[in-house]
Amino acid sequence: MSRSVLVTGGNRGIGLAIARALVEAGDRVTVTYRATKPPDDLPAVPCDVTDPAEVAAAFDQVTREQGPVEVLVANAGITRDGLLLRMTDEDFEDVLAANLTGAVRVARRAAQDMLAARWGRLIFISSAVALTGSPGQVNYTASKAALIGVARSLAWELGSRGITANVVAPGLVDTDMSRAMSERRRAEYLAMTALRRTGTPAEVAAVVRFLAGAEASYVTGAVVPVAGGLGMGF
Ligand code: NDP
């Protein structure tokens, strides 16, 4: 079955692996990007999820080119790490704007079409640290923990119309984001990871592919860790 899929931040990292996995599953997939375009073979729309006009335009383009979005993967995310006493309002608000408000904005737009179709899959990319907490990441953990509340509320709001809403919580995955981390922090995370290694974007994508697929039809409101054992127990 080919579905119309939109992956935010699908131009690189985990988002790109998700897009690739869904293309392989036979879906029609578009990714969003800001400055860096994805590889040429992947349809892409420019979209900063913090900008309502860009989100509206991106959905219009996707709807025209591949049909109304049936599977949304809200993956775009940023970090602005720092201990709370040094964290500015701007550091806090920028992270919430991208990771939380941006995800809610795209979910709301996608839900319009999903309600009309009486079918849809909303998948939010959170993080294992949403529930373990993480020093220096008050902004990031707040945004990622909030996505769990968002997904579970949407599971209730939209469930009777055949729409599921789930959360994937990756642990330390090898991308630009985790490579920007200090060696010391990285070692601390690995020490807390039962499998004692970083994950690959493809390992996260495989779980997203399952949640987007027919076999996950009775899964909603779930938080699925893909974290090698980091932060077990959602
Ligand atoms: P990267 O930093 O490699 O990629 C982040 C992606 O998000 C990029 O595509 C980026 O676009 C996009 N993005 C950021 N802000 C915006 C915005 N305002 N509007 C649109 N797109 C935006 O990170 P990862 O691939 O590692 O992370 C993907 C998701 O997984 C994130 O939500 C992250 O929090 C989460 N995650 C990652 C973990 C890891 O260890 N890597 C662990 C747990 C969760 P652009 O190229 O334009 O900057």
Side-chain angles (χ1 to χ4, degrees):
M1 189 176 48
S2 170
R3 291 89 40 92
S4 170
V5 178
L6 180 64
V7 183
T8 66
N11 55 318
R12 59 191 174 99
I14 292 172
L16 178 59
I18 292 169
R20 292 271 186 236
L22 293 174
V23 167
E24 199 184 281
D27 291 328
R28 309 185 304 283
V29 182
T30 295
V31 300
T32 74
Y33 70 97
R34 293 182 304 174
T36 324
K37 278 201 164 189
D40 285 343
D41 59 328
L42 210 50
V45 287
C47 175
D48 183 327
V49 296
T50 64
D51 182 330
E54 287 193 22
V55 169
F59 271 85
D60 287 349
Q61 188 177 332
V62 173
T63 305
R64 267 196 317 275
E65 292 174 0
Q66 68 177 28
V69 172
E70 297 166 288
V71 177
L72 173 74
V73 185
N75 162 82
I78 57 168
T79 51
R80 293 273 186 279
D81 296 352
L83 294 172
L84 179 62
L85 295 191
R86 277 187 239 130
M87 185 176 285
T88 63
D89 282 355
E90 197 183 7
D91 291 335
F92 187 83
E93 284 157 10
D94 284 354
V95 169
L96 270 287
N99 298 7
L100 176 60
T101 316
V104 170
R105 180 173 293 121
V106 292
R108 182 172 53 222
R109 176 61 186 83
Q112 283 174 21
D113 291 331
M114 292 176 183
L115 282 166
R118 300 184 79 85
W119 194 90
R121 297 283 164 89
L122 296 167
I123 300 165
F124 297 90
I125 307 302
S126 173
S127 169
V129 297
L131 291 190
T132 62
S134 174
Q137 294 197 302
V138 162
N139 48 4
Y140 184 76
T141 51
S143 70
K144 294 298 188 180
L147 288 179
I148 298 172
V150 167
R152 288 184 168 162
S153 296
L154 290 178
W156 283 112
E157 284 191 22
L158 306 172
S160 66
R161 308 289 187 89
I163 300 165
T164 65
N166 291 293
V167 173
V168 171
L172 190 59
V173 177
D174 210 13
T175 65
D176 295 340
M177 183 180 276
S178 57
R179 282 190 283 269
M181 206 176 266
S182 74
E183 268 310 311
R184 193 173 67 98
R185 193 74 191 115
R186 211 178 150 78
E188 284 167 0
Y189 275 126
L190 285 177
M192 295 189 292
T193 301
L195 292 180
R196 296 287 195 272
R197 65 167 178 85
T198 55
T200 64
E203 287 174 312
V204 178
V207 174
V208 173
R209 179 172 160 165
F210 165 72
L211 290 171
E215 289 178 342
S217 49
Y218 205 53
V219 182
T220 195
V223 179
V224 185
V226 188
L230 171 66
M232 295 179 215
F234 285 88

